[in-house]
Amino acid sequence: MSRSAPAPHRVVVLALDGVYPFELGIPARIFGSAGRLYEVLTCSADGRPVRTFADFTVTTEHGPEVLATADTVVIPPSEVTDEVPEALALIRPGTRLVSICTGSYVLASAGLLDGRPATTHWHMAEEFGRRFPRVRIDPGVLFVDDGDVLTSAGAASGVDLCLHLVRKDHGSKVANQVARACVVPAWRDGGQAQYIERPVPSPSSESTALARTWALGHLHLPLSLAELAGKAQMSGRTFARRFQREVGMSPGRWLTQQRVDRARHLLECSDLSVDRIAGEVGFATAASLRQHLQAAVGVSPLAYRRTFQAGGTAAGAPAGAGAAL
């Protein structure tokens, strides 16, 4: 007797009045491109048509009752108010909560972000911090994964966050397939810092891009800040400052992130030993790889490999692992 296929992970998108149409469609586009792994339903807070930020309304197929059946609830941005939708009370404890852009205001108004790290659109971050002082707002990142509650920055960062969830649930191979189907980057370096309005740099200003490209091809080497700065023909201090401005994080944190990402790919797609993978990505020892992977995704290399090579679901929540060069 054959076993039936597991039920798809149900994602319910809550459309509130004034919803932004682009962000409203992101979950269906990203999760829907993962085949039968997800089921995406869109609902309104009261079952009635929803006025959008554009010059049209949308009619959803479902009312708020489907929130009680969700494994993940996504709240796209809408008009910012202090009101907490009554429909949120229907969400079961333990349901994964996700906001895109100013959807974070809904979660914060309900007290669901108190004491947690979170992000929102950089343009609203200062006002958000004043309104919700108990939330640890980080305006410099594309998204924040705090386990069962995830928040993203503005507009297209909702794509980054949904792809991150696919990667977290089913591994890089599936996430890369989804990214290719949607013709979007599988991963974007840096954070919101690269999009915040600043004076345009002079044409003579150098970029750290060439050094980054070189580093990605030499992750197995014990790279130093001085070496990367030399590739960019800058002093170490200038390089670090420009790197932070362009990428949104320090060179050391970025390098650790790239090494962890490469290690995850090798754990998923190769049979190399953990010691060999550690050397391939530039961690001095297997113990160092275990430490950084544990910080990033909450599991050991062997547990990670078992999970994704078996096509299962990852445990743990990625956190920004950073280390000095």
Side-chain angles (χ1 to χ4, degrees), residues 255-267:
L255 187 58
T256 297
Q257 184 182 84
Q258 304 313 309
R259 286 173 165 155
V260 169
D261 289 345
R262 182 73 58 83
R264 291 172 67 179
H265 173 75
L266 292 174
L267 287 167

Side-chain angles (χ1 to χ4, degrees), residues 220 262-282 286 289-290 293 301-306 309:
H220 59 287
R262 182 73 58 83
R264 291 172 67 179
H265 173 75
L266 292 174
L267 287 167
E268 294 174 27
C269 304
S270 79
D271 294 321
L272 296 177
S273 69
V274 173
D275 287 286
R276 176 71 181 277
I277 290 174
E280 290 284 333
V281 303
L289 170 57
R290 281 193 291 271
L293 190 69
L302 292 179
Y304 186 89
R305 169 168 274 167
R306 283 195 301 268
Q309 288 196 346

Side-chain angles (χ1 to χ4, degrees), residues 8-44:
H9 183 102
R10 175 169 285 186
V11 178
V12 176
V13 185
L14 176 58
L16 300 172
D17 269 343
V19 67
Y20 284 64
F22 172 71
E23 291 89 330
L24 175 64
I26 287 174
R29 189 69 180 94
I30 298 298
F31 295 118
S33 296
R36 299 180 180 179
L37 297 175
Y38 297 94
E39 175 189 28
V40 183
L41 307 178
T42 304
C43 74
S44 64

Side-chain angles (χ1 to χ4, degrees), residues 4-308:
S4 59
H9 183 102
R10 175 169 285 186
V11 178
V12 176
V13 185
L14 176 58
L16 300 172
D17 269 343
V19 67
Y20 284 64
F22 172 71
E23 291 89 330
L24 175 64
I26 287 174
R29 189 69 180 94
I30 298 298
F31 295 118
S33 296
R36 299 180 180 179
L37 297 175
Y38 297 94
E39 175 189 28
V40 183
L41 307 178
T42 304
C43 74
S44 64
D46 53 13
R48 295 196 290 267
V50 178
R51 177 177 50 83
T52 73
F53 184 75
D55 62 341
F56 56 86
T57 61
V58 294
T59 301
T60 63
E61 292 290 329
H62 306 281
E65 65 279 356
V66 296
L67 290 168
T69 69
D71 299 304
T72 294
V73 171
V74 181
I75 303 177
S78 57
E79 292 179 347
V80 173
T81 71
D82 292 324
E83 296 181 10
V84 178
E86 294 182 5
L88 292 187
L90 299 173
I91 300 173
R92 296 172 300 176
T95 300
R96 186 164 62 185
L97 302 177
V98 177
S99 69
I100 299 175
C101 193
T102 55
S104 56
Y105 277 76
V106 177
L107 297 181
S109 294
L112 297 171
L113 296 181
D114 286 355
R116 288 180 177 265
T119 194
T120 191
H121 193 292
W122 64 266
H123 187 68
M124 302 293 290
E126 185 176 346
E127 193 274 342
F128 184 99
R130 289 195 299 268
R131 186 180 296 195
F132 305 109
R134 298 185 64 184
V135 181
R136 305 203 307 270
I137 189 70
D138 184 351
V141 296
L142 293 176
F143 60 81
V144 171
D145 181 340
D146 195 36
D148 58 340
V149 179
L150 302 92
T151 53
S152 74
S157 63
V159 174
D160 298 297
L161 179 50
C162 289
L163 278 173
H164 166 74
L165 288 171
V166 174
R167 187 181 300 109
K168 180 177 178 178
D169 292 344
H170 300 289
S172 295
K173 183 177 180 180
V174 175
N176 290 343
Q177 290 171 344
V178 169
R180 283 194 295 270
C182 297
V183 199
V184 295
W187 180 270
R188 282 198 293 166
D189 289 339
Q192 293 195 76
Q194 59 191 311
Y195 303 106
I196 296 174
E197 294 176 351
R198 295 186 178 91
V200 177
S202 65
S204 61
S205 294
E206 298 293 336
S207 170
T208 63
L210 289 178
R212 279 180 275 137
T213 300
W214 181 86
L216 290 176
H218 297 81
L219 288 178
H220 59 287
L221 299 176
L223 304 175
S224 67
L225 175 61
E227 189 170 15
L228 293 178
K231 293 296 177 182
Q233 298 183 333
M234 300 178 192
S235 69
R237 180 174 297 180
T238 298
F239 178 82
R241 184 175 63 251
R242 290 184 179 170
F243 196 103
Q244 180 75 39
R245 185 177 63 197
E246 293 177 10
V247 179
M249 64 180 72
S250 70
R253 181 180 174 186
W254 177 85
L255 187 58
T256 297
Q257 184 182 84
Q258 304 313 309
R259 286 173 165 155
V260 169
D261 289 345
R262 182 73 58 83
R264 291 172 67 179
H265 173 75
L266 292 174
L267 287 167
E268 294 174 27
C269 304
S270 79
D271 294 321
L272 296 177
S273 69
V274 173
D275 287 286
R276 176 71 181 277
I277 290 174
E280 290 284 333
V281 303
F283 288 123
T285 63
S288 179
L289 170 57
R290 281 193 291 271
Q291 175 187 346
H292 287 294
L293 190 69
Q294 183 76 36
V297 297
V299 296
S300 69
L302 292 179
Y304 186 89
R305 169 168 274 167
R306 283 195 301 268
T307 297
F308 287 113

